[in-house]
Amino acid sequence: MSTERFDTIVIGAGQAGLATGYHLTRRGQQFVILDAHDRVGDVWRERFDSLRLYSPARYDGLPGWGIPAPAWSWPGKDEIADYFEAYAERFALPVRTGVTVDGLSRLGDRYVVTAGTDRFEAGNVVVASGTWQTPVVPDLADRLDPRIRQLHSSDYRNPSQLQDGPVLVVGCSHSGADIALEASRSHHTTICGPVRGEVPFDLEGGAARVAIPIMWFMANHVLTERTPVGRKMRAHVRSGGGPLLRVKRADLAAAGVEHFPAKVTDVRDGNPILDDGTALDVRNVIWCTGFRKDTTWIQIPVTGADGWPEQSRGVSPDHPGLYFVGLPFLQAFASMLTGGVGRDAAYVAKHIAKRVVVRSPRAVA
């Protein structure tokens, strides 16, 4: 097994990895970005076809180059994917695709990153792959009638994947509501699960142009780890689903989507049973049940009592040279958003630059 050595390795070429790469380039750093997908942006291309961002283009750009779209347009997932790919090319970011990292360990004062038979070493590693990676499907799914077609939201693309007959969407957060509304156009659709609030205005209406700038300010400067309300919000964001955004309960009701606040907790005669005893006779189940955090590939003790990596503004307190960017609520609510990750990436890049010799004449203060 040969070893390649770098000053810094960035794991993940999503918004966090690209933003970090931008700031490392500006500081003249020698680094590589490793990503498991075949193309930059594939993490977005693989999402359901009708997905559009929940914030307008003016708030979705990465540092140095905004999305080339009207400020108050709502980019689709393929538009974001192509923008990410163009962004990496525009700033000549050293991205290596098709490299699936499966291990991160420490050897002396350096870090070892493995990807199958490939081995990399660096004095600094930025974990920018996120941690919500493993789809969550309850164990009871195995007990459903095998004639029921089951999809996790990560595998759902459009209603053509569904077979004839009723659809149950499990999970009533924003993606679940979006998918349920879409499915209802061709299938009788039911959605179940509690609603954790909803944005009290039309996301794309006139009120949004007043409300969203205020919400964006709060996401960056009020809902932070430094404020009591921010710390409370942080725990909520990391443990539960989000509110309804574009599609509201009224929209679902108008489309004929039946909503049960109860959760699926059992199976009887092959059919899903809600915790209020309701039995649902369906032919399709779409699990919009989110993703679980996965840090098992990091063979270094990094997690705290809540199971999330311990860090301060992305800097590991116990492992010099180890960083995290793109975690949910890393510094503020905006840390996990496409347009908000740049601030954290800039801080981490500045911290890294203090640890290594600047090699490029493009370095800036």
Side-chain angles (χ1 to χ4, degrees), residues 65-100:
W65 184 44
I67 296 177
W72 285 97
S73 63
W74 303 80
K77 57 104 175 180
D78 289 331
E79 189 176 352
I80 291 296
D82 292 343
Y83 164 67
F84 278 13
E85 190 169 46
Y87 185 92
E89 294 173 356
R90 183 184 185 95
F91 296 108
L93 301 181
V95 180
R96 292 195 191 180
T97 56
V99 181
T100 303

PDB file of all heavy atoms in Angstrom, residues 65-100:
ATOM      1  N   TRP A  65     -18.081  33.174  -5.004  1.00  0.00           N
ATOM      2  CA  TRP A  65     -18.874  33.128  -6.238  1.00  0.00           C
ATOM      3  C   TRP A  65     -20.277  32.647  -5.915  1.00  0.00           C
ATOM      4  O   TRP A  65     -20.468  31.497  -5.537  1.00  0.00           O
ATOM      5  CB  TRP A  65     -18.223  32.209  -7.267  1.00  0.00           C
ATOM      6  CG  TRP A  65     -18.917  32.169  -8.600  1.00  0.00           C
ATOM      7  CD1 TRP A  65     -19.393  33.233  -9.313  1.00  0.00           C
ATOM      8  CD2 TRP A  65     -19.228  30.996  -9.373  1.00  0.00           C
ATOM      9  NE1 TRP A  65     -19.980  32.804 -10.477  1.00  0.00           N
ATOM     10  CE2 TRP A  65     -19.885  31.435 -10.557  1.00  0.00           C
ATOM     11  CE3 TRP A  65     -19.004  29.635  -9.190  1.00  0.00           C
ATOM     12  CZ2 TRP A  65     -20.326  30.555 -11.532  1.00  0.00           C
ATOM     13  CZ3 TRP A  65     -19.445  28.747 -10.164  1.00  0.00           C
ATOM     14  CH2 TRP A  65     -20.090  29.208 -11.319  1.00  0.00           C
ATOM     15  N   GLY A  66     -21.233  33.532  -6.048  1.00  0.00           N
ATOM     16  CA  GLY A  66     -22.606  33.151  -5.770  1.00  0.00           C
ATOM     17  C   GLY A  66     -23.222  32.334  -6.884  1.00  0.00           C
ATOM     18  O   GLY A  66     -22.657  32.204  -7.983  1.00  0.00           O
ATOM     19  N   ILE A  67     -24.381  31.799  -6.629  1.00  0.00           N
ATOM     20  CA  ILE A  67     -25.089  31.021  -7.648  1.00  0.00           C
ATOM     21  C   ILE A  67     -25.515  31.952  -8.777  1.00  0.00           C
ATOM     22  O   ILE A  67     -26.139  32.989  -8.533  1.00  0.00           O
ATOM     23  CB  ILE A  67     -26.313  30.332  -7.034  1.00  0.00           C
ATOM     24  CG1 ILE A  67     -25.887  29.317  -5.987  1.00  0.00           C
ATOM     25  CG2 ILE A  67     -27.156  29.645  -8.114  1.00  0.00           C
ATOM     26  CD1 ILE A  67     -27.037  28.643  -5.275  1.00  0.00           C
ATOM     27  N   PRO A  68     -25.160  31.618 -10.016  1.00  0.00           N
ATOM     28  CA  PRO A  68     -25.547  32.474 -11.145  1.00  0.00           C
ATOM     29  C   PRO A  68     -27.022  32.291 -11.500  1.00  0.00           C
ATOM     30  O   PRO A  68     -27.388  31.674 -12.503  1.00  0.00           O
ATOM     31  CB  PRO A  68     -24.616  31.982 -12.274  1.00  0.00           C
ATOM     32  CG  PRO A  68     -24.326  30.563 -11.945  1.00  0.00           C
ATOM     33  CD  PRO A  68     -24.305  30.486 -10.441  1.00  0.00           C
ATOM     34  N   ALA A  69     -27.867  32.827 -10.652  1.00  0.00           N
ATOM     35  CA  ALA A  69     -29.316  32.714 -10.824  1.00  0.00           C
ATOM     36  C   ALA A  69     -29.955  33.939 -10.206  1.00  0.00           C
ATOM     37  O   ALA A  69     -29.343  34.620  -9.364  1.00  0.00           O
ATOM     38  CB  ALA A  69     -29.828  31.436 -10.148  1.00  0.00           C
ATOM     39  N   PRO A  70     -31.179  34.289 -10.603  1.00  0.00           N
ATOM     40  CA  PRO A  70     -31.856  35.434  -9.991  1.00  0.00           C
ATOM     41  C   PRO A  70     -31.908  35.301  -8.472  1.00  0.00           C
ATOM     42  O   PRO A  70     -32.107  34.208  -7.933  1.00  0.00           O
ATOM     43  CB  PRO A  70     -33.265  35.374 -10.608  1.00  0.00           C
ATOM     44  CG  PRO A  70     -33.071  34.695 -11.920  1.00  0.00           C
ATOM     45  CD  PRO A  70     -31.982  33.677 -11.683  1.00  0.00           C
ATOM     46  N   ALA A  71     -31.718  36.410  -7.795  1.00  0.00           N
ATOM     47  CA  ALA A  71     -31.584  36.398  -6.339  1.00  0.00           C
ATOM     48  C   ALA A  71     -32.767  35.739  -5.646  1.00  0.00           C
ATOM     49  O   ALA A  71     -32.600  35.042  -4.646  1.00  0.00           O
ATOM     50  CB  ALA A  71     -31.401  37.819  -5.819  1.00  0.00           C
ATOM     51  N   TRP A  72     -33.980  35.965  -6.155  1.00  0.00           N
ATOM     52  CA  TRP A  72     -35.167  35.420  -5.498  1.00  0.00           C
ATOM     53  C   TRP A  72     -35.755  34.231  -6.265  1.00  0.00           C
ATOM     54  O   TRP A  72     -36.962  33.993  -6.245  1.00  0.00           O
ATOM     55  CB  TRP A  72     -36.213  36.502  -5.266  1.00  0.00           C
ATOM     56  CG  TRP A  72     -35.813  37.383  -4.122  1.00  0.00           C
ATOM     57  CD1 TRP A  72     -35.189  38.576  -4.196  1.00  0.00           C
ATOM     58  CD2 TRP A  72     -35.966  37.088  -2.728  1.00  0.00           C
ATOM     59  NE1 TRP A  72     -34.931  39.061  -2.938  1.00  0.00           N
ATOM     60  CE2 TRP A  72     -35.407  38.173  -2.017  1.00  0.00           C
ATOM     61  CE3 TRP A  72     -36.514  36.027  -2.011  1.00  0.00           C
ATOM     62  CZ2 TRP A  72     -35.382  38.229  -0.621  1.00  0.00           C
ATOM     63  CZ3 TRP A  72     -36.491  36.075  -0.629  1.00  0.00           C
ATOM     64  CH2 TRP A  72     -35.938  37.164   0.047  1.00  0.00           C
ATOM     65  N   SER A  73     -34.874  33.472  -6.911  1.00  0.00           N
ATOM     66  CA  SER A  73     -35.278  32.193  -7.483  1.00  0.00           C
ATOM     67  C   SER A  73     -34.932  31.094  -6.491  1.00  0.00           C
ATOM     68  O   SER A  73     -34.172  31.313  -5.543  1.00  0.00           O
ATOM     69  CB  SER A  73     -34.580  31.949  -8.817  1.00  0.00           C
ATOM     70  OG  SER A  73     -33.164  31.851  -8.647  1.00  0.00           O
ATOM     71  N   TRP A  74     -35.481  29.893  -6.721  1.00  0.00           N
ATOM     72  CA  TRP A  74     -35.326  28.782  -5.777  1.00  0.00           C
ATOM     73  C   TRP A  74     -34.672  27.624  -6.522  1.00  0.00           C
ATOM     74  O   TRP A  74     -35.359  26.850  -7.195  1.00  0.00           O
ATOM     75  CB  TRP A  74     -36.685  28.402  -5.190  1.00  0.00           C
ATOM     76  CG  TRP A  74     -37.335  29.587  -4.533  1.00  0.00           C
ATOM     77  CD1 TRP A  74     -38.017  30.599  -5.141  1.00  0.00           C
ATOM     78  CD2 TRP A  74     -37.299  29.912  -3.147  1.00  0.00           C
ATOM     79  NE1 TRP A  74     -38.430  31.527  -4.212  1.00  0.00           N
ATOM     80  CE2 TRP A  74     -38.002  31.130  -2.979  1.00  0.00           C
ATOM     81  CE3 TRP A  74     -36.756  29.282  -2.019  1.00  0.00           C
ATOM     82  CZ2 TRP A  74     -38.167  31.743  -1.745  1.00  0.00           C
ATOM     83  CZ3 TRP A  74     -36.933  29.885  -0.785  1.00  0.00           C
ATOM     84  CH2 TRP A  74     -37.625  31.096  -0.649  1.00  0.00           C
ATOM     85  N   PRO A  75     -33.354  27.503  -6.437  1.00  0.00           N
ATOM     86  CA  PRO A  75     -32.638  26.516  -7.257  1.00  0.00           C
ATOM     87  C   PRO A  75     -33.084  25.087  -6.991  1.00  0.00           C
ATOM     88  O   PRO A  75     -33.360  24.693  -5.857  1.00  0.00           O
ATOM     89  CB  PRO A  75     -31.176  26.709  -6.829  1.00  0.00           C
ATOM     90  CG  PRO A  75     -31.112  28.082  -6.250  1.00  0.00           C
ATOM     91  CD  PRO A  75     -32.442  28.298  -5.607  1.00  0.00           C
ATOM     92  N   GLY A  76     -33.140  24.316  -8.079  1.00  0.00           N
ATOM     93  CA  GLY A  76     -33.420  22.898  -7.966  1.00  0.00           C
ATOM     94  C   GLY A  76     -32.154  22.128  -7.656  1.00  0.00           C
ATOM     95  O   GLY A  76     -31.040  22.650  -7.737  1.00  0.00           O
ATOM     96  N   LYS A  77     -32.324  20.866  -7.321  1.00  0.00           N
ATOM     97  CA  LYS A  77     -31.184  20.064  -6.866  1.00  0.00           C
ATOM     98  C   LYS A  77     -30.147  19.879  -7.968  1.00  0.00           C
ATOM     99  O   LYS A  77     -28.940  19.893  -7.688  1.00  0.00           O
ATOM    100  CB  LYS A  77     -31.668  18.732  -6.309  1.00  0.00           C
ATOM    101  CG  LYS A  77     -32.499  17.872  -7.266  1.00  0.00           C
ATOM    102  CD  LYS A  77     -31.699  16.742  -7.823  1.00  0.00           C
ATOM    103  CE  LYS A  77     -32.539  15.822  -8.677  1.00  0.00           C
ATOM    104  NZ  LYS A  77     -31.753  14.698  -9.223  1.00  0.00           N
ATOM    105  N   ASP A  78     -30.562  19.751  -9.234  1.00  0.00           N
ATOM    106  CA  ASP A  78     -29.576  19.604 -10.314  1.00  0.00           C
ATOM    107  C   ASP A  78     -28.846  20.912 -10.578  1.00  0.00           C
ATOM    108  O   ASP A  78     -27.666  20.912 -10.943  1.00  0.00           O
ATOM    109  CB  ASP A  78     -30.266  19.113 -11.584  1.00  0.00           C
ATOM    110  CG  ASP A  78     -30.721  17.664 -11.470  1.00  0.00           C
ATOM    111  OD1 ASP A  78     -30.074  16.900 -10.724  1.00  0.00           O
ATOM    112  OD2 ASP A  78     -31.716  17.294 -12.110  1.00  0.00           O
ATOM    113  N   GLU A  79     -29.530  22.028 -10.397  1.00  0.00           N
ATOM    114  CA  GLU A  79     -28.890  23.333 -10.550  1.00  0.00           C
ATOM    115  C   GLU A  79     -27.796  23.519  -9.501  1.00  0.00           C
ATOM    116  O   GLU A  79     -26.702  24.021  -9.802  1.00  0.00           O
ATOM    117  CB  GLU A  79     -29.951  24.439 -10.427  1.00  0.00           C
ATOM    118  CG  GLU A  79     -29.460  25.827 -10.789  1.00  0.00           C
ATOM    119  CD  GLU A  79     -30.572  26.861 -10.733  1.00  0.00           C
ATOM    120  OE1 GLU A  79     -31.748  26.468 -10.556  1.00  0.00           O
ATOM    121  OE2 GLU A  79     -30.258  28.055 -10.865  1.00  0.00           O
ATOM    122  N   ILE A  80     -28.068  23.096  -8.274  1.00  0.00           N
ATOM    123  CA  ILE A  80     -27.063  23.179  -7.216  1.00  0.00           C
ATOM    124  C   ILE A  80     -25.899  22.240  -7.515  1.00  0.00           C
ATOM    125  O   ILE A  80     -24.724  22.593  -7.334  1.00  0.00           O
ATOM    126  CB  ILE A  80     -27.690  22.836  -5.851  1.00  0.00           C
ATOM    127  CG1 ILE A  80     -28.654  23.940  -5.430  1.00  0.00           C
ATOM    128  CG2 ILE A  80     -26.617  22.657  -4.783  1.00  0.00           C
ATOM    129  CD1 ILE A  80     -28.000  25.286  -5.188  1.00  0.00           C
ATOM    130  N   ALA A  81     -26.202  21.034  -7.983  1.00  0.00           N
ATOM    131  CA  ALA A  81     -25.149  20.072  -8.308  1.00  0.00           C
ATOM    132  C   ALA A  81     -24.210  20.624  -9.379  1.00  0.00           C
ATOM    133  O   ALA A  81     -22.978  20.546  -9.246  1.00  0.00           O
ATOM    134  CB  ALA A  81     -25.773  18.761  -8.780  1.00  0.00           C
ATOM    135  N   ASP A  82     -24.781  21.205 -10.428  1.00  0.00           N
ATOM    136  CA  ASP A  82     -23.949  21.756 -11.499  1.00  0.00           C
ATOM    137  C   ASP A  82     -23.162  22.974 -11.016  1.00  0.00           C
ATOM    138  O   ASP A  82     -22.017  23.196 -11.442  1.00  0.00           O
ATOM    139  CB  ASP A  82     -24.825  22.131 -12.694  1.00  0.00           C
ATOM    140  CG  ASP A  82     -25.435  20.909 -13.378  1.00  0.00           C
ATOM    141  OD1 ASP A  82     -24.940  19.791 -13.148  1.00  0.00           O
ATOM    142  OD2 ASP A  82     -26.412  21.082 -14.136  1.00  0.00           O
ATOM    143  N   TYR A  83     -23.765  23.748 -10.136  1.00  0.00           N
ATOM    144  CA  TYR A  83     -23.056  24.904  -9.556  1.00  0.00           C
ATOM    145  C   TYR A  83     -21.859  24.439  -8.738  1.00  0.00           C
ATOM    146  O   TYR A  83     -20.770  25.006  -8.845  1.00  0.00           O
ATOM    147  CB  TYR A  83     -24.030  25.706  -8.691  1.00  0.00           C
ATOM    148  CG  TYR A  83     -23.386  26.680  -7.734  1.00  0.00           C
ATOM    149  CD1 TYR A  83     -22.691  27.798  -8.200  1.00  0.00           C
ATOM    150  CD2 TYR A  83     -23.475  26.479  -6.349  1.00  0.00           C
ATOM    151  CE1 TYR A  83     -22.105  28.701  -7.307  1.00  0.00           C
ATOM    152  CE2 TYR A  83     -22.896  27.372  -5.460  1.00  0.00           C
ATOM    153  CZ  TYR A  83     -22.212  28.476  -5.942  1.00  0.00           C
ATOM    154  OH  TYR A  83     -21.628  29.355  -5.056  1.00  0.00           O
ATOM    155  N   PHE A  84     -22.019  23.408  -7.938  1.00  0.00           N
ATOM    156  CA  PHE A  84     -20.896  22.875  -7.162  1.00  0.00           C
ATOM    157  C   PHE A  84     -19.768  22.415  -8.080  1.00  0.00           C
ATOM    158  O   PHE A  84     -18.580  22.672  -7.823  1.00  0.00           O
ATOM    159  CB  PHE A  84     -21.364  21.702  -6.295  1.00  0.00           C
ATOM    160  CG  PHE A  84     -22.021  22.103  -5.005  1.00  0.00           C
ATOM    161  CD1 PHE A  84     -22.420  23.409  -4.769  1.00  0.00           C
ATOM    162  CD2 PHE A  84     -22.247  21.166  -4.016  1.00  0.00           C
ATOM    163  CE1 PHE A  84     -23.023  23.779  -3.582  1.00  0.00           C
ATOM    164  CE2 PHE A  84     -22.840  21.526  -2.812  1.00  0.00           C
ATOM    165  CZ  PHE A  84     -23.242  22.832  -2.596  1.00  0.00           C
ATOM    166  N   GLU A  85     -20.126  21.719  -9.155  1.00  0.00           N
ATOM    167  CA  GLU A  85     -19.111  21.227 -10.086  1.00  0.00           C
ATOM    168  C   GLU A  85     -18.383  22.394 -10.752  1.00  0.00           C
ATOM    169  O   GLU A  85     -17.150  22.388 -10.874  1.00  0.00           O
ATOM    170  CB  GLU A  85     -19.767  20.333 -11.130  1.00  0.00           C
ATOM    171  CG  GLU A  85     -18.783  19.566 -11.998  1.00  0.00           C
ATOM    172  CD  GLU A  85     -19.485  18.512 -12.829  1.00  0.00           C
ATOM    173  OE1 GLU A  85     -20.534  18.819 -13.437  1.00  0.00           O
ATOM    174  OE2 GLU A  85     -18.993  17.368 -12.866  1.00  0.00           O
ATOM    175  N   ALA A  86     -19.144  23.404 -11.173  1.00  0.00           N
ATOM    176  CA  ALA A  86     -18.537  24.581 -11.797  1.00  0.00           C
ATOM    177  C   ALA A  86     -17.685  25.357 -10.799  1.00  0.00           C
ATOM    178  O   ALA A  86     -16.637  25.923 -11.160  1.00  0.00           O
ATOM    179  CB  ALA A  86     -19.632  25.475 -12.379  1.00  0.00           C
ATOM    180  N   TYR A  87     -18.114  25.381  -9.551  1.00  0.00           N
ATOM    181  CA  TYR A  87     -17.360  26.076  -8.497  1.00  0.00           C
ATOM    182  C   TYR A  87     -15.989  25.438  -8.319  1.00  0.00           C
ATOM    183  O   TYR A  87     -14.967  26.142  -8.251  1.00  0.00           O
ATOM    184  CB  TYR A  87     -18.157  26.017  -7.189  1.00  0.00           C
ATOM    185  CG  TYR A  87     -17.574  26.785  -6.034  1.00  0.00           C
ATOM    186  CD1 TYR A  87     -17.948  28.108  -5.794  1.00  0.00           C
ATOM    187  CD2 TYR A  87     -16.679  26.185  -5.147  1.00  0.00           C
ATOM    188  CE1 TYR A  87     -17.428  28.818  -4.715  1.00  0.00           C
ATOM    189  CE2 TYR A  87     -16.159  26.887  -4.062  1.00  0.00           C
ATOM    190  CZ  TYR A  87     -16.541  28.200  -3.847  1.00  0.00           C
ATOM    191  OH  TYR A  87     -16.017  28.900  -2.777  1.00  0.00           O
ATOM    192  N   ALA A  88     -15.944  24.117  -8.251  1.00  0.00           N
ATOM    193  CA  ALA A  88     -14.663  23.421  -8.090  1.00  0.00           C
ATOM    194  C   ALA A  88     -13.745  23.693  -9.270  1.00  0.00           C
ATOM    195  O   ALA A  88     -12.523  23.866  -9.110  1.00  0.00           O
ATOM    196  CB  ALA A  88     -14.903  21.921  -7.941  1.00  0.00           C
ATOM    197  N   GLU A  89     -14.317  23.767 -10.473  1.00  0.00           N
ATOM    198  CA  GLU A  89     -13.510  24.051 -11.663  1.00  0.00           C
ATOM    199  C   GLU A  89     -13.062  25.510 -11.690  1.00  0.00           C
ATOM    200  O   GLU A  89     -11.917  25.806 -12.052  1.00  0.00           O
ATOM    201  CB  GLU A  89     -14.318  23.717 -12.917  1.00  0.00           C
ATOM    202  CG  GLU A  89     -14.628  22.228 -13.073  1.00  0.00           C
ATOM    203  CD  GLU A  89     -15.575  21.944 -14.221  1.00  0.00           C
ATOM    204  OE1 GLU A  89     -16.066  22.922 -14.853  1.00  0.00           O
ATOM    205  OE2 GLU A  89     -15.840  20.757 -14.492  1.00  0.00           O
ATOM    206  N   ARG A  90     -13.944  26.408 -11.300  1.00  0.00           N
ATOM    207  CA  ARG A  90     -13.644  27.850 -11.345  1.00  0.00           C
ATOM    208  C   ARG A  90     -12.428  28.178 -10.472  1.00  0.00           C
ATOM    209  O   ARG A  90     -11.566  28.983 -10.868  1.00  0.00           O
ATOM    210  CB  ARG A  90     -14.859  28.634 -10.870  1.00  0.00           C
ATOM    211  CG  ARG A  90     -14.700  30.164 -10.933  1.00  0.00           C
ATOM    212  CD  ARG A  90     -15.930  30.839 -10.345  1.00  0.00           C
ATOM    213  NE  ARG A  90     -15.894  32.286 -10.473  1.00  0.00           N
ATOM    214  CZ  ARG A  90     -16.455  32.979 -11.437  1.00  0.00           C
ATOM    215  NH1 ARG A  90     -17.109  32.355 -12.405  1.00  0.00           N
ATOM    216  NH2 ARG A  90     -16.383  34.306 -11.460  1.00  0.00           N
ATOM    217  N   PHE A  91     -12.351  27.556  -9.301  1.00  0.00           N
ATOM    218  CA  PHE A  91     -11.254  27.855  -8.379  1.00  0.00           C
ATOM    219  C   PHE A  91     -10.178  26.769  -8.386  1.00  0.00           C
ATOM    220  O   PHE A  91      -9.294  26.771  -7.516  1.00  0.00           O
ATOM    221  CB  PHE A  91     -11.805  28.063  -6.975  1.00  0.00           C
ATOM    222  CG  PHE A  91     -12.720  29.257  -6.867  1.00  0.00           C
ATOM    223  CD1 PHE A  91     -14.085  29.097  -6.702  1.00  0.00           C
ATOM    224  CD2 PHE A  91     -12.210  30.544  -6.974  1.00  0.00           C
ATOM    225  CE1 PHE A  91     -14.935  30.187  -6.626  1.00  0.00           C
ATOM    226  CE2 PHE A  91     -13.048  31.652  -6.896  1.00  0.00           C
ATOM    227  CZ  PHE A  91     -14.414  31.477  -6.727  1.00  0.00           C
ATOM    228  N   ALA A  92     -10.237  25.886  -9.394  1.00  0.00           N
ATOM    229  CA  ALA A  92      -9.227  24.830  -9.575  1.00  0.00           C
ATOM    230  C   ALA A  92      -8.971  24.067  -8.280  1.00  0.00           C
ATOM    231  O   ALA A  92      -7.821  23.824  -7.896  1.00  0.00           O
ATOM    232  CB  ALA A  92      -7.936  25.442 -10.113  1.00  0.00           C
ATOM    233  N   LEU A  93     -10.049  23.691  -7.612  1.00  0.00           N
ATOM    234  CA  LEU A  93      -9.900  22.968  -6.351  1.00  0.00           C
ATOM    235  C   LEU A  93      -9.456  21.534  -6.622  1.00  0.00           C
ATOM    236  O   LEU A  93      -9.998  20.865  -7.511  1.00  0.00           O
ATOM    237  CB  LEU A  93     -11.222  22.974  -5.574  1.00  0.00           C
ATOM    238  CG  LEU A  93     -11.776  24.361  -5.220  1.00  0.00           C
ATOM    239  CD1 LEU A  93     -13.066  24.234  -4.425  1.00  0.00           C
ATOM    240  CD2 LEU A  93     -10.752  25.196  -4.457  1.00  0.00           C
ATOM    241  N   PRO A  94      -8.485  21.032  -5.876  1.00  0.00           N
ATOM    242  CA  PRO A  94      -7.921  19.694  -6.134  1.00  0.00           C
ATOM    243  C   PRO A  94      -8.810  18.584  -5.581  1.00  0.00           C
ATOM    244  O   PRO A  94      -8.499  17.959  -4.564  1.00  0.00           O
ATOM    245  CB  PRO A  94      -6.573  19.750  -5.417  1.00  0.00           C
ATOM    246  CG  PRO A  94      -6.802  20.691  -4.275  1.00  0.00           C
ATOM    247  CD  PRO A  94      -7.762  21.740  -4.792  1.00  0.00           C
ATOM    248  N   VAL A  95      -9.921  18.343  -6.273  1.00  0.00           N
ATOM    249  CA  VAL A  95     -10.879  17.330  -5.827  1.00  0.00           C
ATOM    250  C   VAL A  95     -10.562  15.999  -6.503  1.00  0.00           C
ATOM    251  O   VAL A  95     -10.368  15.943  -7.722  1.00  0.00           O
ATOM    252  CB  VAL A  95     -12.322  17.738  -6.161  1.00  0.00           C
ATOM    253  CG1 VAL A  95     -13.295  16.663  -5.693  1.00  0.00           C
ATOM    254  CG2 VAL A  95     -12.662  19.085  -5.532  1.00  0.00           C
ATOM    255  N   ARG A  96     -10.518  14.940  -5.720  1.00  0.00           N
ATOM    256  CA  ARG A  96     -10.399  13.587  -6.261  1.00  0.00           C
ATOM    257  C   ARG A  96     -11.713  12.863  -5.995  1.00  0.00           C
ATOM    258  O   ARG A  96     -12.078  12.611  -4.842  1.00  0.00           O
ATOM    259  CB  ARG A  96      -9.251  12.825  -5.605  1.00  0.00           C
ATOM    260  CG  ARG A  96      -7.886  13.377  -5.951  1.00  0.00           C
ATOM    261  CD  ARG A  96      -6.815  12.376  -5.591  1.00  0.00           C
ATOM    262  NE  ARG A  96      -5.496  12.966  -5.663  1.00  0.00           N
ATOM    263  CZ  ARG A  96      -4.368  12.309  -5.396  1.00  0.00           C
ATOM    264  NH1 ARG A  96      -4.436  11.020  -5.037  1.00  0.00           N
ATOM    265  NH2 ARG A  96      -3.210  12.907  -5.476  1.00  0.00           N
ATOM    266  N   THR A  97     -12.417  12.542  -7.056  1.00  0.00           N
ATOM    267  CA  THR A  97     -13.692  11.850  -6.915  1.00  0.00           C
ATOM    268  C   THR A  97     -13.483  10.336  -6.948  1.00  0.00           C
ATOM    269  O   THR A  97     -12.417   9.844  -7.331  1.00  0.00           O
ATOM    270  CB  THR A  97     -14.648  12.267  -8.044  1.00  0.00           C
ATOM    271  OG1 THR A  97     -14.018  12.009  -9.310  1.00  0.00           O
ATOM    272  CG2 THR A  97     -14.988  13.746  -7.946  1.00  0.00           C
ATOM    273  N   GLY A  98     -14.514   9.618  -6.545  1.00  0.00           N
ATOM    274  CA  GLY A  98     -14.447   8.165  -6.534  1.00  0.00           C
ATOM    275  C   GLY A  98     -13.556   7.595  -5.454  1.00  0.00           C
ATOM    276  O   GLY A  98     -13.130   6.447  -5.533  1.00  0.00           O
ATOM    277  N   VAL A  99     -13.281   8.392  -4.421  1.00  0.00           N
ATOM    278  CA  VAL A  99     -12.434   7.954  -3.311  1.00  0.00           C
ATOM    279  C   VAL A  99     -13.301   7.877  -2.059  1.00  0.00           C
ATOM    280  O   VAL A  99     -13.658   8.895  -1.467  1.00  0.00           O
ATOM    281  CB  VAL A  99     -11.253   8.910  -3.081  1.00  0.00           C
ATOM    282  CG1 VAL A  99     -10.377   8.406  -1.927  1.00  0.00           C
ATOM    283  CG2 VAL A  99     -10.423   9.074  -4.351  1.00  0.00           C
ATOM    284  N   THR A 100     -13.652   6.670  -1.668  1.00  0.00           N
ATOM    285  CA  THR A 100     -14.522   6.469  -0.506  1.00  0.00           C
ATOM    286  C   THR A 100     -13.676   6.260   0.741  1.00  0.00           C
ATOM    287  O   THR A 100     -13.073   5.200   0.937  1.00  0.00           O
ATOM    288  CB  THR A 100     -15.441   5.254  -0.715  1.00  0.00           C
ATOM    289  OG1 THR A 100     -16.208   5.443  -1.909  1.00  0.00           O
ATOM    290  CG2 THR A 100     -16.375   5.080   0.475  1.00  0.00           C
TER     291      THR A 100
END
